[in-house]
Amino acid sequence: MVFLNGEFIPKEQAQVSVMDRGFLFGDGVYEVIPVYSGKIFRLDEHLERLQNSLNSVQINNPYSPQQWREILHELLSFSSESSQSLYLQISRGADVSRKHSFDSLSPTVFIESSPLTPKTKAELEIGYRAMSQPDFRWQRCDIKSTSLLANIMYSQQAKQNQVEEVILHRDQLITEGATSNVFIVKDNVLFTHPTGDHILSGITRDLVLESAKHCHLSINESALTLTELLSADEVWISSSTREVMPIVQVDNQLINNGVIGKYWPQVYDYYQGLKHV
């Protein structure tokens, strides 16, 4: 079952107008929210980020926070899975003709839920590989927009090169991954790009920083260079579905001789505890 414009219907019956601006232009925003043991994780923070994205592109939020909460809980009730991933998409809506400018429209709201099975600690401890590429995306990466063509191209590169992620850099300064935030540990300090227009400030990113502080890592929200990343003690990526994942090779360079560092297991363990608070 999915939610579409006020109704819960079987997914195969869900239909959207061909004139919907989400279909024609990618004119919309989205949010991904994990659910652990039947509990929606950090819902208030996700709804706040959703509101920020809607404000940025001038789409009216069709529901109050309480209405969102009720809709999401009802959708979850159709599945027996205790851990799920909620995908929310709001487009500007369907217009009568295809034009770039827009009028006041009724937003199209689509929500689906999928089973969520995060990798185990044992699976993560082997470490993962990434590659680096120049960041050619637009200047408003802080908006969680459905216009994801650049990210799709990067993710396909990762797939074709059999790596987990593409780590991006602007003028050699690390921004984020194609579908993740990036963290670099060097000399007991955790570095990550500061929030702003060039990264999507993930809810998971904040949880990783919270976990790192608890594990006595100093935090420095500033961008490091690609060269500094390649000489790091540890490199991690994070997203709502990956949680926090260790990267042990970038391009042809091994990180920490190709093994996870001492801080990642501590941060991982604390993060797991946060899921059940």
Side-chain angles (χ1 to χ4, degrees), residues 102-134:
F102 54 86
D103 301 307
S104 179
L105 301 171
S106 178
T108 297
V109 180
F110 169 72
I111 314 172
E112 71 167 338
S113 180
S114 305
L116 175 62
T117 307
K119 293 184 184 296
T120 65
K121 188 176 184 180
E123 290 173 317
L124 290 167
E125 283 174 334
I126 62 174
Y128 290 79
R129 298 187 302 128
M131 59 187 290
S132 64
Q133 287 288 295

Side-chain angles (χ1 to χ4, degrees), residues 18-29:
V18 295
M19 296 310 296
D20 192 276
R21 291 178 62 92
F23 170 69
L24 293 174
F25 297 111
D27 184 3
V29 301

Side-chain angles (χ1 to χ4, degrees), residues 6-168:
E7 295 185 274
F8 294 95
I9 55 177
K11 187 174 182 178
E12 61 273 13
Q13 295 179 18
Q15 297 182 347
V16 177
S17 168
V18 295
M19 296 310 296
D20 192 276
R21 291 178 62 92
F23 170 69
L24 293 174
F25 297 111
D27 184 3
V29 301
Y30 73 102
E31 194 62 46
V32 180
I33 312 175
V35 178
Y36 300 114
S37 301
K39 180 182 178 182
I40 303 176
F41 190 53
R42 301 289 173 110
L43 178 57
D44 291 342
E45 289 90 336
H46 282 282
L47 291 180
E48 181 180 354
R49 184 171 65 174
L50 176 64
Q51 185 64 62
N52 291 338
S53 293
L54 289 168
N55 291 343
S56 296
V57 298
Q58 300 179 50
I59 295 177
N60 292 326
N61 193 333
Y63 301 117
S64 69
Q66 182 58 33
Q67 288 173 315
W68 278 114
R69 188 179 299 274
E70 291 170 359
I71 291 167
L72 295 175
H73 279 291
E74 186 168 353
L75 180 61
L76 290 175
S77 71
F78 291 105
S79 174
S80 60
E81 299 285 345
S82 62
S83 294
Q84 301 181 50
S85 178
L86 290 164
Y87 175 81
L88 292 64
Q89 178 171 308
I90 306 173
S91 80
R92 195 174 304 280
D95 210 340
V96 293
S97 62
R98 184 186 182 277
K99 60 181 185 293
H100 284 73
S101 62
F102 54 86
D103 301 307
S104 179
L105 301 171
S106 178
T108 297
V109 180
F110 169 72
I111 314 172
E112 71 167 338
S113 180
S114 305
L116 175 62
T117 307
K119 293 184 184 296
T120 65
K121 188 176 184 180
E123 290 173 317
L124 290 167
E125 283 174 334
I126 62 174
Y128 290 79
R129 298 187 302 128
M131 59 187 290
S132 64
Q133 287 288 295
D135 191 347
F136 58 71
R137 302 170 302 164
W138 72 323
Q139 298 292 324
R140 290 302 310 274
C141 298
D142 58 309
I143 301 172
K144 204 166 176 67
S145 165
T146 57
S147 303
L148 292 171
L149 185 56
N151 306 71
I152 289 168
M153 294 171 66
Y154 286 129
S155 294
Q156 185 64 16
Q157 278 187 290
K159 179 180 179 180
Q160 291 171 341
N161 285 276
Q162 298 182 318
V163 300
E164 176 66 28
E165 178 64 302
V166 177
I167 293 176
L168 307 175

Side-chain angles (χ1 to χ4, degrees), residues 164-180:
E164 176 66 28
E165 178 64 302
V166 177
I167 293 176
L168 307 175
H169 55 86
R170 293 180 190 257
D171 300 322
Q172 294 297 302
L173 291 176
I174 300 299
T175 50
E176 58 184 347
T179 57
S180 66

